Amino acid sequence: KAGVTQTPRYLIKTRGQQVTLSCSPISGHRSVSWYQQTPGQGLQFLFEYFSETQRNKGNFPGRFSGRQFSNSRSEMNVSTLELGDSALYLCASSLVQTYNEQFFGPGTRLTVL
Amino acid sequence: GNSVTQMEGPVTLSEEAFLTINCTYTATGYPSLFWYVQYPGEGLQLLLKATKADDKGSNKGFEATYRKETTSFHLEKGSVQVSDSAVYFCAQSGGSNYKLTFGKGTLLTVNP
C-alpha cells in the first residue's frame, strides 16, 4: 500500500507570494492532519480534516488555510508569505477508528526569501 | 493545555551502548502516547505506541512503558546501532482534539 505522498517536495517563494501544498493520504484513510516543523518551534499542529470538514485548528494566523476533497486528498494554502513561514510542512493521515495513530508523508520543504 | 517534555539533546553514544530518552507529559484525562523517529531528509515514522497505563510499546528493540503515576513514557534500547542515529520525538494524543502534541525532539548520534 502506498504511503502518504506530498507534492511538491521543495518550494522556494518570495515574501508576499502565496503557496499551495498537496497531500494524498494512504488509501482508506479519511483523516488528514497538517503540521509545521521548524528548528525553533518544533512540530506544531496546523489543522485536521475529515470528510471535507475541518475538525480542529492550531494556533496559526488566518493566512494558513486548508481543505479536503471528497477523495480525502488535502491541500493547504499559505497567503502573503513571510520569512518565518520557512519550514517543513508535514501531512499525516489516519484511519477514522485510530485517528491518533498518524502516518506521515516526507514533507514539503518551503523556503521563503 | 496538554504538553510533552523530553530530554534535550544531542545524545551521542557508542555502538552497543544503552539508550534512554526521557519523556514526560501533562494532560487532562488519559492520552495515548507515541514515539516517532525522523531520519535525515524524511518525514516521521511511528516507532511505538501505548494507549493505556502500564502498556509497553516495543519495536525494533526499542521499548517504552506508559507510567501514569509518573506521567512518563521513557524510550529505551539495550544496544544501539549506527543506523539508529536520528531525531526521536515523544508525542501524545487524547480526547477529541484530533491532534498530536510533540516534544521538541532529541537528536541521537551513534558512533561506530
Side-chain angles (χ1 to χ4, degrees):
Chain A
K1 186 182 278 191
V4 177
T5 58
Q6 293 186 247
T7 57
R9 291 292 310 277
Y10 302 91
L11 265 178
I12 299 176
K13 294 286 188 179
T14 56
R15 278 180 299 174
Q17 287 187 309
Q18 75 163 16
V19 66
T20 299
L21 312 181
S22 181
C23 171
S24 293
I26 292 172
S27 177
H29 286 196
R30 295 169 62 192
S31 171
V32 174
S33 300
W34 289 89
Y35 295 83
Q36 181 196 64
Q37 185 178 23
T38 59
Q41 298 299 317
L43 280 153
Q44 294 186 286
F45 172 77
L46 280 156
F47 23 64
E48 188 265 354
Y49 287 89
F50 172 72
S51 286
E52 303 175 64
T53 299
Q54 186 183 91
R55 295 195 295 189
N56 195 12
K57 188 181 191 314
N59 189 25
F60 279 82
R63 300 185 296 108
F64 291 81
S65 63
R67 59 178 177 168
Q68 186 181 34
F69 302 95
S70 58
N71 62 357
S72 296
R73 191 177 69 85
S74 178
E75 290 180 347
M76 68 163 283
N77 183 275
V78 188
S79 62
T80 320
L81 284 166
E82 300 176 1
L83 295 179
D85 297 333
S86 295
L88 181 67
Y89 290 88
L90 293 163
C91 170
S93 73
S94 62
L95 289 167
V96 173
Q97 300 90 327
T98 55
Y99 66 85
N100 57 9
E101 184 171 341
Q102 298 183 13
F103 296 84
F104 284 80
T108 294
R109 172 74 61 186
L110 172 64
T111 302
V112 182
L113 303 176
Chain B
N2 295 353
S3 66
V4 175
T5 303
Q6 62 181 102
M7 64 185 284
E8 302 245 344
V11 174
T12 302
L13 297 173
S14 297
E15 206 164 23
E16 299 184 4
F18 183 83
L19 168 71
T20 299
I21 301 177
N22 291 335
C23 171
T24 57
Y25 67 91
T26 58
T28 52
Y30 304 101
S32 295
L33 301 173
F34 306 86
W35 278 100
Y36 281 85
V37 58
Q38 186 175 35
Y39 298 100
E42 298 184 13
L44 277 68
Q45 297 178 25
L46 178 62
L47 182 59
L48 54 84
K49 67 174 183 177
T51 57
K52 61 183 187 296
D54 300 324
D55 266 1
K56 177 185 281 188
S58 61
N59 186 26
K60 298 180 182 178
F62 291 90
E63 292 183 341
T65 301
Y66 191 144
R67 302 285 187 200
K68 184 162 69 81
E69 63 276 12
T70 54
T71 62
S72 65
F73 192 56
H74 305 321
L75 182 68
E76 296 182 335
K77 186 175 186 182
S79 176
V80 294
Q81 305 300 312
V82 172
S83 58
D84 294 327
S85 297
V87 180
Y88 292 81
F89 293 91
C90 185
Q92 66 160 300
S93 177
S96 59
N97 58 15
Y98 308 111
K99 71 173 186 179
L100 289 167
T101 300
F102 288 91
K104 293 287 191 184
T106 302
L107 173 62
L108 169 67
T109 302
V110 180
N111 295 317

